[in-house]
Amino acid sequence: MNITRMQVNHITNPLGFDLGKRPTFSWVVEDVAGTRSEASRVVVTCDEGVVADTGWARLDAKACALDVPLAPRTRYEWTVSTRT
């Protein structure tokens, strides 16, 4: 399984952008053994730790909007995991 084309607000590397109060995450899952995604999980982190964690849930891979309190001049990273 490969997770590719990870974007935030349709931007691949959104460094220096104001993403608003509800950034939208999207990704593409390729080379899967299963026929459909059962659950996905998005985790957003920064230097202070975890900022947002959806837990395992049925998320839309094309547009998953999260309430994430993003601060200016802060680098955030995000990961996505999926189960088939």
Side-chain angles (χ1 to χ4, degrees):
M1 174 186 321
N2 292 324
I3 298 175
T4 61
R5 291 183 255 164
M6 296 174 60
Q7 296 182 329
V8 181
N9 289 6
H10 306 291
I11 304 169
T12 302
N13 292 313
L15 185 62
F17 288 89
D18 180 10
L19 300 174
K21 294 183 181 3
R22 271 183 74 84
T24 301
F25 299 86
S26 62
W27 61 92
V28 174
V29 180
E30 300 175 334
D31 301 327
V32 290
T35 57
R36 63 188 169 111
S37 175
E38 292 295 325
S40 298
R41 179 179 188 181
V42 175
V43 178
V44 181
T45 60
C46 67
D47 289 339
E48 286 77 37
V50 176
V51 177
D53 185 351
T54 63
W56 289 101
R58 294 205 40 107
L59 302 175
D60 184 2
K62 294 179 183 175
C64 176
L66 298 179
D67 289 321
V68 181
L70 300 177
R73 300 182 187 268
T74 305
R75 181 178 292 263
Y76 293 92
E77 294 182 4
W78 69 286
T79 58
V80 61
S81 304
T82 188
R83 294 179 182 165
T84 58

PDB file of all heavy atoms in Angstrom, residues 15 44-49 51 70-77:
ATOM      1  N   LEU A  15       4.028  25.676   2.647  1.00  0.00           N
ATOM      2  CA  LEU A  15       4.892  26.422   3.550  1.00  0.00           C
ATOM      3  C   LEU A  15       4.651  27.921   3.350  1.00  0.00           C
ATOM      4  O   LEU A  15       4.762  28.438   2.244  1.00  0.00           O
ATOM      5  CB  LEU A  15       6.357  26.085   3.278  1.00  0.00           C
ATOM      6  CG  LEU A  15       7.370  26.702   4.214  1.00  0.00           C
ATOM      7  CD1 LEU A  15       7.138  26.199   5.639  1.00  0.00           C
ATOM      8  CD2 LEU A  15       8.776  26.352   3.772  1.00  0.00           C
ATOM      9  N   VAL A  44      -1.925  15.361  13.137  1.00  0.00           N
ATOM     10  CA  VAL A  44      -1.200  16.602  12.874  1.00  0.00           C
ATOM     11  C   VAL A  44      -0.334  16.894  14.095  1.00  0.00           C
ATOM     12  O   VAL A  44      -0.833  16.901  15.228  1.00  0.00           O
ATOM     13  CB  VAL A  44      -2.170  17.776  12.606  1.00  0.00           C
ATOM     14  CG1 VAL A  44      -1.395  19.053  12.313  1.00  0.00           C
ATOM     15  CG2 VAL A  44      -3.127  17.447  11.471  1.00  0.00           C
ATOM     16  N   THR A  45       0.965  17.135  13.866  1.00  0.00           N
ATOM     17  CA  THR A  45       1.894  17.390  14.970  1.00  0.00           C
ATOM     18  C   THR A  45       2.722  18.649  14.702  1.00  0.00           C
ATOM     19  O   THR A  45       2.825  19.119  13.576  1.00  0.00           O
ATOM     20  CB  THR A  45       2.860  16.204  15.166  1.00  0.00           C
ATOM     21  OG1 THR A  45       3.606  16.016  13.962  1.00  0.00           O
ATOM     22  CG2 THR A  45       2.123  14.930  15.511  1.00  0.00           C
ATOM     23  N   CYS A  46       3.298  19.164  15.782  1.00  0.00           N
ATOM     24  CA  CYS A  46       4.293  20.229  15.707  1.00  0.00           C
ATOM     25  C   CYS A  46       5.321  19.941  16.791  1.00  0.00           C
ATOM     26  O   CYS A  46       5.286  18.874  17.412  1.00  0.00           O
ATOM     27  CB  CYS A  46       3.654  21.612  15.853  1.00  0.00           C
ATOM     28  SG  CYS A  46       2.971  21.940  17.470  1.00  0.00           S
ATOM     29  N   ASP A  47       6.228  20.863  17.063  1.00  0.00           N
ATOM     30  CA  ASP A  47       7.271  20.630  18.062  1.00  0.00           C
ATOM     31  C   ASP A  47       6.703  20.347  19.453  1.00  0.00           C
ATOM     32  O   ASP A  47       7.294  19.618  20.234  1.00  0.00           O
ATOM     33  CB  ASP A  47       8.218  21.826  18.140  1.00  0.00           C
ATOM     34  CG  ASP A  47       9.100  21.923  16.918  1.00  0.00           C
ATOM     35  OD1 ASP A  47       9.272  20.908  16.218  1.00  0.00           O
ATOM     36  OD2 ASP A  47       9.614  23.023  16.647  1.00  0.00           O
ATOM     37  N   GLU A  48       5.549  20.926  19.760  1.00  0.00           N
ATOM     38  CA  GLU A  48       4.947  20.747  21.087  1.00  0.00           C
ATOM     39  C   GLU A  48       4.237  19.401  21.230  1.00  0.00           C
ATOM     40  O   GLU A  48       3.830  19.034  22.317  1.00  0.00           O
ATOM     41  CB  GLU A  48       3.959  21.875  21.383  1.00  0.00           C
ATOM     42  CG  GLU A  48       4.614  23.206  21.709  1.00  0.00           C
ATOM     43  CD  GLU A  48       5.131  23.916  20.471  1.00  0.00           C
ATOM     44  OE1 GLU A  48       4.471  23.835  19.414  1.00  0.00           O
ATOM     45  OE2 GLU A  48       6.201  24.518  20.552  1.00  0.00           O
ATOM     46  N   GLY A  49       4.013  18.695  20.137  1.00  0.00           N
ATOM     47  CA  GLY A  49       3.348  17.398  20.197  1.00  0.00           C
ATOM     48  C   GLY A  49       2.163  17.320  19.249  1.00  0.00           C
ATOM     49  O   GLY A  49       2.086  18.044  18.255  1.00  0.00           O
ATOM     50  N   VAL A  51      -1.303  17.958  17.714  1.00  0.00           N
ATOM     51  CA  VAL A  51      -2.242  19.073  17.657  1.00  0.00           C
ATOM     52  C   VAL A  51      -3.650  18.561  17.368  1.00  0.00           C
ATOM     53  O   VAL A  51      -4.626  19.062  17.909  1.00  0.00           O
ATOM     54  CB  VAL A  51      -1.809  20.095  16.584  1.00  0.00           C
ATOM     55  CG1 VAL A  51      -2.811  21.225  16.470  1.00  0.00           C
ATOM     56  CG2 VAL A  51      -0.436  20.624  16.898  1.00  0.00           C
ATOM     57  N   LEU A  70      -4.085  26.284  14.083  1.00  0.00           N
ATOM     58  CA  LEU A  70      -2.765  26.523  13.504  1.00  0.00           C
ATOM     59  C   LEU A  70      -2.246  27.898  13.912  1.00  0.00           C
ATOM     60  O   LEU A  70      -2.960  28.890  13.803  1.00  0.00           O
ATOM     61  CB  LEU A  70      -2.837  26.431  11.980  1.00  0.00           C
ATOM     62  CG  LEU A  70      -3.299  25.094  11.409  1.00  0.00           C
ATOM     63  CD1 LEU A  70      -3.387  25.181   9.895  1.00  0.00           C
ATOM     64  CD2 LEU A  70      -2.384  23.974  11.839  1.00  0.00           C
ATOM     65  N   ALA A  71      -1.022  27.941  14.392  1.00  0.00           N
ATOM     66  CA  ALA A  71      -0.388  29.195  14.812  1.00  0.00           C
ATOM     67  C   ALA A  71       0.550  29.685  13.709  1.00  0.00           C
ATOM     68  O   ALA A  71       1.111  28.883  12.967  1.00  0.00           O
ATOM     69  CB  ALA A  71       0.401  28.973  16.098  1.00  0.00           C
ATOM     70  N   PRO A  72       0.727  30.999  13.597  1.00  0.00           N
ATOM     71  CA  PRO A  72       1.661  31.512  12.595  1.00  0.00           C
ATOM     72  C   PRO A  72       3.104  31.154  12.960  1.00  0.00           C
ATOM     73  O   PRO A  72       3.433  30.935  14.127  1.00  0.00           O
ATOM     74  CB  PRO A  72       1.438  33.027  12.626  1.00  0.00           C
ATOM     75  CG  PRO A  72       0.811  33.297  13.941  1.00  0.00           C
ATOM     76  CD  PRO A  72       0.076  32.051  14.334  1.00  0.00           C
ATOM     77  N   ARG A  73       3.953  31.075  11.931  1.00  0.00           N
ATOM     78  CA  ARG A  73       5.385  30.798  12.099  1.00  0.00           C
ATOM     79  C   ARG A  73       5.656  29.488  12.833  1.00  0.00           C
ATOM     80  O   ARG A  73       6.583  29.394  13.638  1.00  0.00           O
ATOM     81  CB  ARG A  73       6.089  31.956  12.794  1.00  0.00           C
ATOM     82  CG  ARG A  73       5.987  33.258  12.028  1.00  0.00           C
ATOM     83  CD  ARG A  73       6.739  34.353  12.751  1.00  0.00           C
ATOM     84  NE  ARG A  73       6.519  35.629  12.133  1.00  0.00           N
ATOM     85  CZ  ARG A  73       7.297  36.142  11.195  1.00  0.00           C
ATOM     86  NH1 ARG A  73       8.317  35.472  10.750  1.00  0.00           N
ATOM     87  NH2 ARG A  73       7.026  37.328  10.687  1.00  0.00           N
ATOM     88  N   THR A  74       4.827  28.511  12.593  1.00  0.00           N
ATOM     89  CA  THR A  74       4.969  27.193  13.219  1.00  0.00           C
ATOM     90  C   THR A  74       4.952  26.136  12.130  1.00  0.00           C
ATOM     91  O   THR A  74       4.109  26.166  11.247  1.00  0.00           O
ATOM     92  CB  THR A  74       3.824  26.926  14.214  1.00  0.00           C
ATOM     93  OG1 THR A  74       3.782  27.992  15.163  1.00  0.00           O
ATOM     94  CG2 THR A  74       4.020  25.619  14.937  1.00  0.00           C
ATOM     95  N   ARG A  75       5.896  25.219  12.190  1.00  0.00           N
ATOM     96  CA  ARG A  75       5.950  24.136  11.214  1.00  0.00           C
ATOM     97  C   ARG A  75       5.134  22.956  11.731  1.00  0.00           C
ATOM     98  O   ARG A  75       5.337  22.491  12.849  1.00  0.00           O
ATOM     99  CB  ARG A  75       7.378  23.688  10.962  1.00  0.00           C
ATOM    100  CG  ARG A  75       7.476  22.571   9.926  1.00  0.00           C
ATOM    101  CD  ARG A  75       8.902  22.188   9.664  1.00  0.00           C
ATOM    102  NE  ARG A  75       9.618  23.260   9.002  1.00  0.00           N
ATOM    103  CZ  ARG A  75       9.803  23.335   7.688  1.00  0.00           C
ATOM    104  NH1 ARG A  75       9.322  22.403   6.913  1.00  0.00           N
ATOM    105  NH2 ARG A  75      10.470  24.344   7.162  1.00  0.00           N
ATOM    106  N   TYR A  76       4.218  22.502  10.907  1.00  0.00           N
ATOM    107  CA  TYR A  76       3.370  21.361  11.237  1.00  0.00           C
ATOM    108  C   TYR A  76       3.680  20.214  10.290  1.00  0.00           C
ATOM    109  O   TYR A  76       4.063  20.434   9.139  1.00  0.00           O
ATOM    110  CB  TYR A  76       1.881  21.724  11.095  1.00  0.00           C
ATOM    111  CG  TYR A  76       1.431  22.742  12.102  1.00  0.00           C
ATOM    112  CD1 TYR A  76       1.464  24.099  11.804  1.00  0.00           C
ATOM    113  CD2 TYR A  76       0.963  22.348  13.350  1.00  0.00           C
ATOM    114  CE1 TYR A  76       1.061  25.037  12.733  1.00  0.00           C
ATOM    115  CE2 TYR A  76       0.562  23.285  14.280  1.00  0.00           C
ATOM    116  CZ  TYR A  76       0.616  24.623  13.961  1.00  0.00           C
ATOM    117  OH  TYR A  76       0.213  25.551  14.896  1.00  0.00           O
ATOM    118  N   GLU A  77       3.523  19.010  10.775  1.00  0.00           N
ATOM    119  CA  GLU A  77       3.652  17.809   9.954  1.00  0.00           C
ATOM    120  C   GLU A  77       2.391  17.000  10.139  1.00  0.00           C
ATOM    121  O   GLU A  77       1.761  17.067  11.193  1.00  0.00           O
ATOM    122  CB  GLU A  77       4.869  16.997  10.371  1.00  0.00           C
ATOM    123  CG  GLU A  77       6.187  17.696  10.112  1.00  0.00           C
ATOM    124  CD  GLU A  77       7.381  16.846  10.496  1.00  0.00           C
ATOM    125  OE1 GLU A  77       7.185  15.679  10.896  1.00  0.00           O
ATOM    126  OE2 GLU A  77       8.496  17.356  10.402  1.00  0.00           O
TER     127      GLU A  77
END
